[in-house]
């Protein structure tokens, strides 16, 4: 058991002063007024750690390799071709090194948990590794090594398009039959279910990559294993996907999902960019979380999620760094708000009736909904929650003279990235003065992997 003292701390949605946190086995046991004996001071404003609801760790390795115009019209689909070429050479050891490096970057940015939407499963020709969970072990171990909480979301990917289209040879590393996939989920459940800082969910890749029958098999399966296990799916990211879904199912992707499954807050719809008013309303009512990835969606030219409309209806949403073109909490939230300003010609758009601060509204909401989307006992500083929090750098000029509700506005809108000084995950200090104990070694290993892959 240990005690930490904060002069200025965001508890739930209220800023409080002079508070002692008592932490036991990674959980906040007590929050008391005043400085208790033996409490170590946290020097700077304290805010909850952010959940990164959507990551493909391996994609960090080719961020910056696809920002040039090729022969044809560049789009999500041409980006994907470059990604496939890059991934062909990646070994399990490489995947571990890349994941370790990117998870350190996440911690330094202020993410304390990550949802790893994991689809790089097999050898380059599609043959399973001797241990079919080899690639999962590598990314999970990377998270354990660096101290970020992980929700592992093994992906079911079977087809190349609607109507059970045969996958290409570039997709061989991703492909499972339903039975092989369920075996993998079972194996992971057995291996890790008693580990702290770990949650397991499932991720049918998208409606184009799995059939209706497969969804009808895997959703009840995971619900039986764990009623709260997250189910994540890419959906309605691209207009072509919406058109293909309309031709095949005669319904739009989100509409189809709502009509065929009982969605709730344990579902996370990744992107859900292209929605009708009806879909916005029904998704908000279902309780499902939308996983918005503003930087990646901008980078890939996906479109803009209707955040204002969705939020007004009480919809839940989280942020994810997806392709890792940037790992920057402030930039994701800033872009989320700025996209709405640019299209509505207004300022200070994403606010709540109870909180006029855009920064605080966006931060507390995405923290809370992000933790829900990952089934992590986190998302706010409160008794009974994991002791996951950030200490902000009071030497950051944009925070000078900023009191309470201005702290998050300044941190998100007036700093290039969140001014994170220290990071605690389950009560353990994993970032100190902006540094991680493994960062130099991780960077050197990452450099060697890049030399090989590029
Ligand atoms: Zn994704």
């Amino acid at each position: 058991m240990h005690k930490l003292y904060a002069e200025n701390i965001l508890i739930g949605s209220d800023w409080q002063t002079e508070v002692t946190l008592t932490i036991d086995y990674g959980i906040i046991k007590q929050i008391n007024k005043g400085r208790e004996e033996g409490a170590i001071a946290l020097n700077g404003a304290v805010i909850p750690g952010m959940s990164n609801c959507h990551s493909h760790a391996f994609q960090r390795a080719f961020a910056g390799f696809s920002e040039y115009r090729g022969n044809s019209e560049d789009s999500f689909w041409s980006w994907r071709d470059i990604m496939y070429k890059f991934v062909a050479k990646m070994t399990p050891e490489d995947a571990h090194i890349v994941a370790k490096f990117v998870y350190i970057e996440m911690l330094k940015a202020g993410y304390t948990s990550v949802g790893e939407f994991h689809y790089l499963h097999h050898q380059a020709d599609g043959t399973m590794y001797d241990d079919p969970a080899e690639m999962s072990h590598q990314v999970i171990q990377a998270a354990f090594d660096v101290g970020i909480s992980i929700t592992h979301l093994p992906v079911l990917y079977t087809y190349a398009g609607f109507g059970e289209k045969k996958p290409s040879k570039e997709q061989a590393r991703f492909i499972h039959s339903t039975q092989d996939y369920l075996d993998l989920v079972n194996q992971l459940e057995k291996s890790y279910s008693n580990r702290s800082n770990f949650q397991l969910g499932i991720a049918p890749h998208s409606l184009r990559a799995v059939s209706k029958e497969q969804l009808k098999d895997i959703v009840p399966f995971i619900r039986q294993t764990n009623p709260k296990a997250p189910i994540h799916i890419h959906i309605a990211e691209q207009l072509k996907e919406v058109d293909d879904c309309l031709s095949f199912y005669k319904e739009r992707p989100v509409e189809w999902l709502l009509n065929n499954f009982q969605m709730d807050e344990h579902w996370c719809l990744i992107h859900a960019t292209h929605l009708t008013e009806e879909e916005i309303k029904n998704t908000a009512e279902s309780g499902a979380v939308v996983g918005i990835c503003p930087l990646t969606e901008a980078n890939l030219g996906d479109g803009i999620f209707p955040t204002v409309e969705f939020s007004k209806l009480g919809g839940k949403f989280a942020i994810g760094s997806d392709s890792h073109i940037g790992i920057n909490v402030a930039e994701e939230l800033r872009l989320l708000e700025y996209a709405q300003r640019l299209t509505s010609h207004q300022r200070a758009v994403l606010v709540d009736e109870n909180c006029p601060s855009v920064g605080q509204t966006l931060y507390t909401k995405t923290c809370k909904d992000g933790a829900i989307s990952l089934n992590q006992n986190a998302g706010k500083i409160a008794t009974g929650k994991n002791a996951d929090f950030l200490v902000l750098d009071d030497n950051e000029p944009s925070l000078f003279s900023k009191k309470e509700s201005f702290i998050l506005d300044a941190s998100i809108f007036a700093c290039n990235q969140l001014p994170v000084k220290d990071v605690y995950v389950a009560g353990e200090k994993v970032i100190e003065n902006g540094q991680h104990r493994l960062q130099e070694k991780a960077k050197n290993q990452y450099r060697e992997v890049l030399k090989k892959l590029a």
Side-chain angles (χ1 to χ4, degrees), residues 29-85:
K29 289 290 175 193
Q30 282 180 33
I31 301 175
N32 293 328
K33 192 77 188 149
R35 183 167 187 170
E36 293 181 11
E37 210 184 315
I40 296 165
L42 302 166
N43 297 311
V46 180
I47 60 173
M50 180 60 76
S51 287
N52 186 347
C53 77
H54 191 65
S55 158
H56 308 288
F58 73 88
Q59 292 186 6
R60 176 66 178 88
F62 75 106
F65 275 115
S66 62
E67 304 303 318
Y68 63 93
R69 183 155 289 274
N71 294 329
S72 59
E73 196 178 310
D74 279 289
S75 67
F76 169 88
W77 310 100
S78 57
W79 168 87
R80 198 181 65 163
D81 289 340
I82 298 174
M83 186 259 284
Y84 284 175
K85 286 195 185 107

Side-chain angles (χ1 to χ4, degrees), residues 5 41 43 58 74-75 98 186 217 276 291 295 297 299 329 343 385 403 406 436 440 445 449:
Y5 170 74
N43 297 311
F58 73 88
D74 279 289
S75 67
V98 173
N186 257 330
D217 284 336
T276 61
L295 280 169
E297 288 155 13
N299 184 268
V329 174
T343 48
K385 291 284 179 189
K403 287 275 180 245
F406 290 103
H436 191 284
E440 278 313 306
Q445 290 178 319
V449 169

Side-chain angles (χ1 to χ4, degrees), residues 308 337-347 349:
V308 172
E337 165 72 13
Y338 283 172
Q340 304 299 313
R341 291 189 191 187
L342 288 163
T343 48
S344 70
H345 309 154
Q346 289 180 23
R347 295 193 69 251
V349 183

Side-chain angles (χ1 to χ4, degrees), residues 33-158:
K33 192 77 188 149
R35 183 167 187 170
E36 293 181 11
E37 210 184 315
I40 296 165
L42 302 166
N43 297 311
V46 180
I47 60 173
M50 180 60 76
S51 287
N52 186 347
C53 77
H54 191 65
S55 158
H56 308 288
F58 73 88
Q59 292 186 6
R60 176 66 178 88
F62 75 106
F65 275 115
S66 62
E67 304 303 318
Y68 63 93
R69 183 155 289 274
N71 294 329
S72 59
E73 196 178 310
D74 279 289
S75 67
F76 169 88
W77 310 100
S78 57
W79 168 87
R80 198 181 65 163
D81 289 340
I82 298 174
M83 186 259 284
Y84 284 175
K85 286 195 185 107
F86 214 85
V87 95
K89 288 182 274 182
M90 200 175 262
T91 65
E93 294 72 29
D94 298 341
H96 177 78
I97 287 167
V98 173
K100 209 157 64 177
F101 177 73
V102 70
Y103 292 160
I104 290 174
E105 289 189 311
M106 284 183 201
L107 286 169
K108 291 169 86 165
Y111 291 114
T112 48
S113 56
V114 58
E116 183 61 37
F117 197 104
H118 173 77
Y119 62 95
L120 191 56
H121 297 296
H122 313 305
Q123 301 180 46
D125 64 356
T127 312
M128 278 189 192
Y129 288 101
D130 291 343
D131 180 346
E134 176 67 31
M135 282 299 217
S136 286
H137 296 321
Q138 296 293 343
V139 288
I140 293 167
Q141 191 56 48
F144 292 162
D145 288 352
V146 308
I148 194 168
S149 294
I150 185 166
T151 297
H152 190 62
L153 302 157
V155 172
L156 175 60
Y157 199 130
T158 306

Side-chain angles (χ1 to χ4, degrees), residues 213-229:
E213 290 66 35
Q214 289 182 298
L215 280 168
K216 295 275 182 197
D217 284 336
I218 67 170
V219 171
F221 172 86
I222 196 71
R223 280 284 157 270
Q224 247 171 10
T225 314
N226 175 5
K228 290 183 174 176

Side-chain angles (χ1 to χ4, degrees), residues 185-199:
V185 175
N186 257 330
Q187 186 189 342
L188 292 168
E189 168 70 18
K190 285 201 184 87
S191 307
Y192 297 102
S193 60
N194 59 354
R195 286 293 300 245
S196 56
N197 302 354
F198 179 86
Q199 292 293 332

Side-chain angles (χ1 to χ4, degrees), residues 78 82 137 183 309 355 357:
S78 57
I82 298 174
H137 296 321
D183 291 345
E309 295 82 345
C355 180
S357 152

